[in-house]
Amino acid sequence: MLTSNQAHGMTYAEAAREITARLAQGVDGTVAAGAIQLAIEAWQCLAGTDLAWDRYGLELLDVRARLYSDLDDVVVDAGAPVRDDVETRLAVTTMLEQLARYHDRRAGDDREDLARRLSHDAGAQQLRRAVAALV
């Protein structure tokens, strides 16, 4: 995860890109939890600027409740998004697309029980709906 020293002074978009890169490297539940936390922060800061953020937020809250309730203590130390602009949306959607791929990998892992694999599959679909709301 990003330590305070690594993330100090990072903008929201920089932190999202760093998490996206780390997610692409493999299966890491802590980094995935950081992605959800950062994605929800965008919703909390930008809701009200466009109804798309409301649709986005509903999908994320369900994914967090179902798949990340045991990782609520993960924190990404980075600046909050300050405006709903192209850079912010691109950073968020790219990160969520990578997070959806992470859940696809988890859904295909036969070491997990069926119910958990189905939850990961549903999570991946919801993350893609959240992305679609913003594009």
Side-chain angles (χ1 to χ4, degrees):
M1 206 64 249
L2 300 175
T3 65
S4 293
N5 290 338
Q6 290 172 309
H8 184 69
M10 268 190 169
T11 67
Y12 181 89
E14 289 168 339
R17 286 190 292 269
E18 175 68 22
I19 286 176
T20 300
R22 290 183 184 200
L23 280 170
Q25 294 173 0
V27 175
D28 183 332
T30 303
V31 174
I36 281 290
Q37 186 267 334
L38 205 59
I40 289 174
E41 184 173 346
W43 167 67
Q44 290 172 332
C45 292
L46 300 173
T49 61
D50 183 338
L51 286 177
W53 287 103
D54 292 333
R55 290 189 302 275
Y56 162 94
L58 291 173
E59 299 291 355
L60 290 181
L61 291 174
D62 187 57
V63 170
R64 182 181 67 179
R66 192 167 9 89
L67 295 170
Y68 294 95
S69 61
D70 58 338
L71 293 169
D72 281 341
D73 58 342
V74 173
V75 175
V76 179
D77 184 14
V82 292
R83 66 186 151 279
D84 183 6
D85 59 13
V86 172
E87 180 185 25
T88 300
R89 284 197 185 208
L90 180 61
V92 168
T93 57
T94 302
M95 180 178 64
L96 288 183
E97 287 166 352
Q98 190 63 51
L99 186 58
R101 286 191 284 279
Y102 162 84
H103 284 290
D104 285 337
R105 290 190 299 272
R106 297 284 308 266
D109 185 349
D110 58 7
R111 293 174 292 179
E112 300 254 10
D113 65 43
L114 180 59
R116 191 75 176 154
R117 289 170 54 201
L118 291 173
S119 286
H120 284 292
D121 183 62
Q125 291 176 41
Q126 285 182 280
L127 291 167
R128 288 186 177 100
R129 284 194 301 267
V131 168
L134 293 182
V135 294

